[in-house]
């Protein structure tokens, strides 16, 4: 996982086993006095075949990180790779194709098309790409997510949780190698939430997929292999083989850090001297 900062060189391909990678990833919104640094020189490696959770306070940059890693948003500085392809600097068309072929994205807002029914929404990305869905896989996705009897409904005729599940099915339908899920269980009751988490877990364990999931829920994070903690646009800590308890403990320390006035040594202060702090090697 750790990588020397020396790799911060243009065009350098990442090692095998990395599904996505960022070096010096910086994202600023606006400029001048109103500028917001959503991501501040983030270095991160997303290991292939692993379930990674991303946690952190609201506004810490979680969605921005996912969007930049998935090539859905431009970066202000730094580099991003998907597999061995550097996507920062790719032309729009190439990026669109790469994203379509290799990435599934579940947005924090579901982004369903209101005029299409559930099934049409699920297969839309493949329809656009002119690809036939693998029907057996699609059936498995639809049944696991309990959408069989809702396929003809439009989003407005579905509950929030059902819309969430349609968005989940859409992300999984083309069996992408890398799935980004931004709070996929945020609108689900606990049973449906557990099913989605179980499904993501299976996708990793049995189907060789890679999942990156943002969540605020320690119980959801406990389904992952690794939790990355973001604060103020930086990865400040990580927890391997998390449990709900260990994640909750770590989150409590965010609250303490927030309640404490900030000195200049912000990064050190927030890492809180935790064992295993300092993520992804190479602090620029
Ligand atoms: N389009 C935008 N224009 C300006 N600022 C933005 C924009 N999108 C995000 N931001 C800012 O960037 C920062 C990070 O936002 P982001 O959505 O990544 O946070 P988050 O960690 O996903 O939060 P939440 O848990 O609430 O979803 C926030 O301060 C936010 O206000
Ligand atoms: Mg968000």
């Amino acid at each position: 996982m750790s990588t020397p900062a020396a790799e911060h060189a243009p065009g350098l391909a990442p090692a095998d086993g990395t599904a996505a990678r960022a070096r010096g990833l910086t994202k600023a919104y606006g400029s001048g006095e109103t500028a917001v640094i959503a991501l501040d020189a983030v270095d991160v490696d997303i290991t292939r075949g692993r379930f990674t959770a991303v946690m952190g306070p609201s506004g810490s940059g979680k969605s921005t990180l996912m969007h930049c890693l998935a090539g859905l948003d431009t970066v202000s500085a730094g580099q991003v790779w998907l597999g061995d392809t550097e996507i920062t600097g790719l032309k729009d068309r190439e990026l669109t194709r790469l994203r379509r072929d290799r990435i599934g994205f579940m947005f924090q807002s579901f982004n369903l098309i209101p005029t299409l029914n559930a099934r049409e929404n699920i297969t839309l990305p493949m329809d656009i790409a002119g690809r036939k869905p693998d029907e057996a896989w699609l059936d498995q996705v639809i049944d696991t997510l309990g959408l069989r009897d809702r396929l003809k409904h439009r989003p407005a005729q579905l509950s929030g949780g059902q819309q969430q599940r349609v968005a989940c099915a859409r992300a999984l339908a083309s069996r992408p190698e890398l799935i980004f899920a931004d709070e996929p269980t945020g609108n689900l009751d606990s049973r449906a939430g557990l099913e989605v988490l179980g499904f993501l877990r299976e996708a990793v364990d049995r189907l060789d997929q890679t999942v990156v999931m943002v969540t605020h829920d320690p119980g959801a994070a406990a389904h992952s292999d690794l939790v990355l903690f973001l604060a103020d646009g930086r990865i400040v800590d990580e927890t391997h083989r998390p449990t709900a308890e260990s994640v909750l403990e770590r989150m409590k320390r965010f609250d303490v850090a927030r309640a404490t006035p900030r000195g200049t040594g912000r990064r050190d202060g927030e890492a809180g001297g935790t064992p295993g702090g300092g993520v992804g090697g190479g602090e620029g």
Side-chain angles (χ1 to χ4, degrees):
M1 162 105 195
S2 82
T3 312
E7 277 197 28
H8 205 311
L12 210 97
D16 280 335
T18 306
R21 162 180 292 204
R23 287 293 174 271
L25 170 54
T26 300
K27 177 71 181 180
Y29 290 107
S31 58
E33 276 181 20
T34 57
V36 173
I37 307 289
L39 294 175
D40 189 0
V42 169
D43 294 341
V44 67
D45 290 10
I46 303 299
T47 305
R48 211 182 282 284
R50 192 151 75 171
F51 188 167
T52 302
V54 178
M55 301 191 82
S58 181
S60 58
K62 303 180 298 296
S63 294
T64 307
L65 177 63
M66 303 267 279
H67 293 166
C68 290
L69 287 178
L72 288 163
D73 206 348
T74 56
V75 310
S76 304
Q79 295 168 277
V80 176
W81 291 263
L82 283 176
D84 53 9
T85 309
E86 187 186 341
I87 62 167
T88 29
L90 273 191
K91 294 208 174 63
D92 270 355
R93 258 177 54 199
E94 298 168 304
L95 184 57
T96 304
R97 177 180 310 171
L98 190 85
R99 215 164 46 210
R100 193 186 67 197
D101 291 345
R102 291 171 42 184
I103 303 269
F105 206 102
M106 293 173 67
F107 293 91
Q108 193 166 0
S109 51
F110 319 127
N111 283 9
L112 299 178
I113 310 290
T115 52
L116 299 181
N117 70 31
R119 194 194 153 94
E120 291 161 345
N121 264 288
I122 291 169
T123 58
L124 180 66
M126 279 177 292
D127 293 340
I128 291 173
R131 268 205 267 148
K132 282 237 171 310
D134 171 344
E135 290 296 335
W137 169 252
L138 200 58
D139 278 344
Q140 194 188 334
V141 169
I142 287 167
D143 287 332
T144 305
L145 293 171
L147 288 168
R148 179 65 59 197
D149 59 351
R150 289 290 180 278
L151 291 175
K152 295 258 165 62
H153 291 61
R154 293 190 182 167
Q157 302 167 317
L158 298 169
S159 73
Q162 289 164 343
Q163 293 179 52
Q164 184 91 304
R165 282 183 271 157
V166 172
C168 182
R170 180 183 56 189
L172 294 164
S174 67
R175 227 170 167 156
E177 55 186 74
L178 181 52
I179 296 164
F180 291 97
D182 199 346
E183 300 195 40
T185 58
N187 288 286
L188 300 181
D189 63 39
S190 55
R191 190 186 64 90
L194 274 176
E195 280 176 6
V196 168
L197 290 165
F199 199 88
L200 294 174
R201 184 71 254 178
E202 268 192 33
V204 170
D205 290 342
R206 299 221 316 229
L207 304 166
D208 255 4
Q209 293 186 289
T210 306
V211 173
V212 187
M213 171 183 78
V214 170
T215 182
H216 286 281
D217 173 9
H223 289 255
S224 73
D225 300 308
L226 168 72
V227 184
L228 303 176
F229 293 94
L230 248 73
D232 293 324
R234 290 173 174 166
I235 296 176
V236 293
D237 206 354
E238 62 180 21
T239 297
H240 291 264
R241 283 186 290 282
T243 61
E245 293 71 31
S246 67
V247 171
L248 197 59
E249 274 309 304
R250 183 62 191 85
M251 284 167 71
K252 279 186 197 152
R253 280 187 278 140
F254 278 118
D255 298 337
V256 174
R258 292 196 131 191
T260 314
R262 217 167 243 165
T264 45
R266 181 175 72 166
R267 189 181 298 197
D268 295 341
E270 283 191 349
T274 28
V279 172
E283 301 252 306

